[in-house]
Amino acid sequence: GEFSGRVILEPIYWEHEPLLATQTFQEQIIRPSETDIVITILWSRLGTRLPAQFTKADGSRYESGTEFEFEDAFQSFKEHGTPDLLIYRKTADPQVSLKNKKILLDKLKQKEALDNFFDKWFHDKTEGTLIAAFHPFANSADFEEIFEAHLSKLIKMRLPEDTVSDKIPSVKPLWKEGSPFRGLSVFNFEHSPVFFGRTKAVSEIINALRIQAASDNAFILILGMSGGGKSSLVRAGVLPMLTQPGVIEGVGLWRRAIMKPGDSKGDLFDGLASCLLRENALPELSADKTDFKELAKILRETPKAAVPLIKGGLSQAASEIAKSEQLKEQPTARLVLVVDQMEEMFSLESITHEERIKFIEAIAALSHSGRVWVIATLRSDFYPGTAELEGLVALKEGTGQYDLLAPTPAEIGQMIRQPAQAAGLYFEEDTTTNERLDDILRDAAAKNPGALPLLEFTLEELYKKRTDNGMLTYEAYKKLGGVEGALAQRAEEVLGGLEPRVRQAMDIELHSLISIGVDDGERISRKYAPLEMVTATPETKAFVEAFVEARLFTTDLAADGSAVVNIAHEALLQHWPRLQEWVEKNREDLRIHARVNAASRRWENENRSREFLLSAGKQVTEAEEILKNKSIELTKTEKSFVHASIAKRKRIWWIKRAIAAVLVVLTIVASGAAYLAQQERN
């Protein structure tokens, strides 16, 4: 992006070339001596020995293609001054399995060959000196940082002075899908080209999954604060990298499925079954007549029985790929399942503790299957709830838990600058202070660990106000009120633009979209509401549509195909003063509504047994008041539950009156009998 318009960069990855079976590998790979820059990245192996036709000047054989390419580039530089040769070596210990002795010995042999190669070309053991330069790095994030700096300097060294400018870059956009920023929306798989700043986390999560899978427990729980970017990290960072063929050794085909506990209007198993049957997952299961409800029932009651079905679906998918690409052997196939925002298991009143236990049993069956890799995300403030689920505690043992830290200032800088470069944008520079707007944004976001959604929202608003030549300006940033002021200001703008009668619908909508915890310290959180219910009147419909258009609310489909609406991000709950005031004002109603919802769900799950209706007294009185409150829209189940509880109270009242009447009659009869007995004695 930095040099777009001034330089043509043509990366050559030999492993991405369509190498034909009619020639050797090395014959089909461009010789390093024919390029400008050669980058060699080494870790634990040197490679496979080359065929006999590749020999050195002294007639000896090359031990590997790596050795051949290094010497070809080295000799060419000595003779012609090109290519520039950069060597990087990873210092982390290689990960090996002790299960297969042959594979283990082969890995040790490869490591020894690589060490000998380094001793020959980079070390003088007799002098104890380094005779050539190489660059060590610990992980992918370190490599990314140093390599970007090195490549930038090499390019500048090759360019004439008048072609290098740091002021207004002539950037040819690589991203042409509109804004490279997501506002309050999550980065999804298709947004991976503009997802930056989390290389270290992506690398560490994939490595942890490798270790977990080697232990037959392919599960990892990603834990982090609200607004820390967990969902985007998994969807746009981990999944696109993990599912590239060859990233996980031996796996040539990946399918992916994503679910959130709150997606389904049914239970957790309906949601899980639905996501497994989607196009990018295993639609082959539907072709095999595995009905959605049938699969949900299997996952709910006998989850281990679902494993053969998934294996069969993956095998069928691999077979179809082999046929379409005319492969001699079908590739090894795996499914990666993402359970995103797992905290909804604890925050949604509709999900019982028993259901959570059974759901974790299903997840365990999949992660132990050898075919499914499971990634879950969880807000850190819900972490104490995991202790109640022994199955989840067992799943995340070993490397099964990853604590996502707040991004460093350098990582935040990548999140700001690199998507902008990809989209052909640049940031204004203050001519008096020489301070760039991207630096201002980075420093503001770095002060608040939970500021990522606010930062992304601010960038999206700056994009909307960009100049014709793609500059994001100071003026627009100041009008937004900075990073933390942008979200509240946008919400106020949308609300202020509505007619008074539509603004009044806010009270109804927030009651439907905000939940308060019953047993978790009254934590305020978002919840899904049926779109049909919250748009029942022209006023509520106009309100929802305005906030959806502004991307402050989002709409989605539940597992049963019905439309639902939700507040776009927790950040709106935390940084919009008007909404916070509303929560405090309506906290008691939220408490009562949450209790009614939880009780109604239990009543429904128990086949509407009278035993699970509200007790007469305060519980029914509060529920009756909620029912009468025109600002609170209850679901059909909640309404039926409250009406049934009121009817039960009335029955009890009549029974009590009848008993009281009988007692009065009995008392009168007894008194009369006593009087008559007294008269007889007299």
Side-chain angles (χ1 to χ4, degrees):
E2 181 183 356
F3 298 100
S4 182
R6 291 168 278 162
V7 161
I8 296 175
L9 291 177
E10 183 184 359
I12 302 167
Y13 303 99
W14 66 261
E15 60 268 36
H16 292 176
E17 296 299 311
L19 305 179
L20 305 177
T22 50
Q23 292 177 288
T24 66
F25 283 94
Q26 204 63 54
E27 287 175 305
Q28 301 178 73
I29 298 171
I30 294 176
R31 294 177 72 107
S33 54
E34 299 171 7
T35 67
D36 296 302
I37 302 172
V38 173
I39 290 86
T40 301
I41 309 171
L42 302 168
W43 184 15
S44 61
R45 65 190 306 270
L46 189 61
T48 308
R49 196 178 194 193
L50 290 187
Q53 65 259 42
F54 293 92
T55 57
K56 301 180 182 181
D58 60 4
S60 61
R61 298 270 294 276
Y62 287 101
E63 289 302 315
S64 73
T66 301
E67 186 179 37
F68 167 79
E69 289 160 358
F70 173 84
E71 293 195 20
D72 180 71
F74 190 89
Q75 190 62 33
S76 176
F77 184 85
K78 287 178 63 176
E79 296 176 0
H80 309 292
T82 59
D84 291 320
L85 178 59
L86 291 170
I87 304 293
Y88 298 89
R89 187 176 190 184
K90 188 171 181 177
T91 57
D93 288 337
Q95 296 163 357
V96 295
S97 172
L98 303 179
K99 291 183 177 180
N100 189 310
K101 182 179 179 180
K102 183 177 182 301
I103 293 176
L104 177 61
L105 292 175
D106 180 65
K107 288 183 179 292
L108 289 171
K109 184 178 179 181
Q110 281 286 340
K111 179 64 168 59
E112 184 179 356
L114 181 63
D115 290 340
N116 291 336
F117 172 80
F118 261 88
D119 287 341
K120 175 182 177 181
W121 287 99
F122 296 92
H123 298 281
D124 184 337
K125 286 193 172 183
T126 58
E127 295 287 333
T129 58
L130 292 170
I131 56 177
F134 67 94
H135 303 280
F137 67 94
N139 53 55
S140 299
D142 290 342
F143 169 75
E144 181 181 53
E145 185 174 345
I146 60 175
F147 174 63
E148 184 179 358
H150 292 166
L151 183 60
S152 178
K153 289 180 180 178
L154 283 180
I155 293 171
K156 286 181 179 178
M157 288 166 55
R158 287 178 170 272
L159 290 178
E161 287 285 337
D162 58 352
T163 65
V164 179
S165 172
D166 293 325
K167 297 296 181 184
I168 302 179
S170 174
V171 178
K172 182 180 179 181
L174 304 175
W175 175 260
K176 300 178 182 179
E177 305 299 324
S179 173
F181 309 113
R182 294 291 293 152
L184 293 179
S185 300
V186 69
F187 282 82
N188 284 308
F189 193 90
E190 63 270 20
H191 302 117
S192 61
V194 288
F195 181 78
F196 293 96
R198 285 298 197 180
T199 304
K200 180 174 184 288
V202 169
S203 175
E204 290 175 346
I205 289 168
I206 291 177
N207 284 337
L209 272 170
R210 282 193 183 100
I211 297 172
Q212 290 290 96
S215 303
D216 297 322
N217 180 25
F219 174 90
I220 190 166
L221 177 68
I222 300 173
L223 192 68
M225 69 175 68
S226 174
K230 300 178 294 298
S231 297
S232 293
L233 166 67
V234 172
R235 293 167 181 249
V238 175
L239 285 187
M241 178 62 70
L242 176 68
T243 55
Q244 287 188 32
V247 169
I248 300 302
E249 189 174 356
V251 180
L253 173 65
W254 282 94
R255 292 292 183 86
R256 63 183 190 274
I258 301 176
M259 73 162 289
K260 292 192 297 181
D263 279 346
S264 175
K265 288 188 77 174
D267 62 14
L268 289 170
F269 305 94
D270 289 335
L272 179 55
S274 177
C275 83
L276 290 176
L277 295 176
R278 288 178 192 147
E279 182 180 356
N280 291 320
L282 291 173
E284 291 83 2
L285 295 182
S286 293
D288 282 344
K289 311 299 182 185
T290 303
D291 180 72
F292 155 70
K293 285 294 183 183
E294 181 185 347
L295 180 57
K297 182 179 180 182
I298 292 171
L299 289 165
R300 185 183 300 111
E301 298 176 0
T302 54
K304 289 183 179 179
V307 172
L309 294 175
I310 291 172
K311 288 181 179 179
L314 287 170
S315 179
Q316 185 179 341
S319 177
E320 290 171 358
I321 288 291
K323 287 178 183 178
S324 64
E325 298 184 6
Q326 298 182 339
L327 303 176
K328 291 183 179 180
E329 297 181 0
Q330 68 180 44
T332 299
R334 294 288 183 269
L335 171 72
V336 54
L337 168 66
V338 176
V339 183
D340 196 14
Q341 297 182 27
M342 190 182 263
E343 63 269 11
E344 291 181 347
M345 284 201 332
F346 302 96
S347 65
L348 294 175
E349 302 93 337
S350 59
I351 300 175
T352 64
H353 179 66
E354 292 73 18
E355 188 179 343
R356 288 193 284 269
I357 292 174
K358 287 184 174 296
F359 181 72
I360 294 301
E361 289 176 359
I363 294 301
L366 297 179
S367 62
H368 294 326
S369 69
R371 297 293 189 276
V372 184
W373 290 28
V374 182
I375 305 172
T377 69
L378 180 72
R379 266 174 47 189
S380 52
D381 52 328
F382 281 86
Y383 183 73
T386 63
E388 301 173 8
L389 301 172
E390 293 183 8
L392 182 55
V393 172
L395 276 175
K396 64 187 185 67
E397 286 181 352
T399 60
Q401 178 176 314
Y402 182 82
D403 296 317
L404 180 63
L405 303 179
T408 65
E411 290 173 328
I412 294 173
Q414 291 180 3
M415 295 173 186
I416 295 168
R417 299 182 185 109
Q418 294 191 14
Q421 287 181 357
L425 306 170
Y426 68 102
F427 295 88
E428 185 177 14
E429 182 176 325
D430 190 317
T431 54
T432 57
T433 64
N434 292 327
E435 193 169 30
R436 287 164 49 118
L437 179 57
D438 49 325
D439 292 332
I440 297 289
L441 287 162
R442 179 202 60 204
D443 295 343
K447 293 176 183 177
N448 181 0
L452 288 188
L454 301 181
L455 171 64
E456 200 65 27
F457 183 86
T458 304
L459 288 167
E460 171 71 6
E461 294 299 302
L462 289 173
Y463 172 81
K464 293 176 183 177
K465 297 173 173 60
R466 68 193 183 281
T467 63
D468 291 340
N469 64 349
M471 182 171 70
L472 308 184
T473 67
Y474 270 104
E475 181 183 2
Y477 180 68
K478 290 175 182 176
K479 286 183 178 179
L480 287 170
V483 171
E484 292 195 352
L487 184 61
Q489 181 177 317
R490 180 62 174 148
E492 287 293 332
E493 286 176 0
V494 174
L495 187 65
L498 300 176
E499 296 180 15
R501 62 184 180 82
V502 177
R503 282 202 298 270
Q504 291 173 2
M506 176 177 173
D507 203 35
I508 299 173
E509 299 305 328
L510 294 184
H511 270 296
S512 300
L513 296 171
I514 294 178
S515 174
I516 189 169
V518 178
D519 300 316
D520 59 357
E522 297 192 346
R523 185 186 291 106
I524 299 296
S525 59
R526 303 170 293 156
K527 68 177 180 180
Y528 288 94
L531 185 61
E532 183 181 7
M533 184 181 82
V534 296
T535 56
T537 68
E539 291 77 17
T540 56
K541 187 173 187 292
F543 185 92
V544 170
E545 287 178 349
F547 273 71
V548 168
E549 186 177 352
R551 295 174 72 177
L552 297 171
F553 289 176
T554 60
T555 56
D556 205 348
L557 291 179
D560 63 358
S562 62
V564 291
V565 66
N566 190 20
I567 293 173
H569 203 282
E570 295 281 347
L572 199 63
L573 301 180
Q574 300 164 3
H575 296 281
W576 188 13
R578 184 188 294 271
L579 193 151
Q580 292 173 319
E581 291 171 7
W582 182 92
V583 168
E584 290 308 313
K585 180 181 177 182
N586 294 274
R587 185 175 287 274
E588 184 59 29
D589 284 344
L590 289 170
R591 287 191 190 105
I592 297 169
H593 191 182
R595 289 197 292 266
V596 168
N597 182 278
S600 69
R601 291 290 183 176
R602 187 178 183 189
W603 173 68
E604 184 75 14
N605 292 336
E606 298 293 339
N607 298 317
R608 301 196 169 197
S609 169
R610 289 183 180 180
E611 294 180 15
F612 293 92
L613 291 171
L614 293 173
S615 302
K618 184 180 179 182
Q619 287 187 348
V620 178
T621 302
E622 288 179 339
E624 194 171 15
E625 290 301 316
I626 288 290
L627 186 64
K628 294 177 182 178
N629 191 331
K630 294 182 179 180
S631 296
I632 301 175
E633 184 67 36
L634 300 183
T635 65
K636 291 180 181 178
T637 300
E638 290 170 343
K639 288 178 180 177
S640 298
F641 174 72
V642 175
H643 283 302
S645 296
I646 294 172
K648 176 185 175 181
R649 181 185 64 181
K650 288 180 178 178
R651 284 194 302 272
I652 293 173
W653 183 80
W654 280 111
I655 290 170
K656 286 182 177 179
R657 288 198 66 179
I659 292 172
V662 169
L663 290 174
V664 169
V665 170
L666 291 174
T667 301
I668 292 172
V669 171
S671 298
Y675 175 77
L676 291 174
Q678 182 66 32
Q679 290 297 318
E680 288 177 2
R681 284 195 294 270
N682 293 335

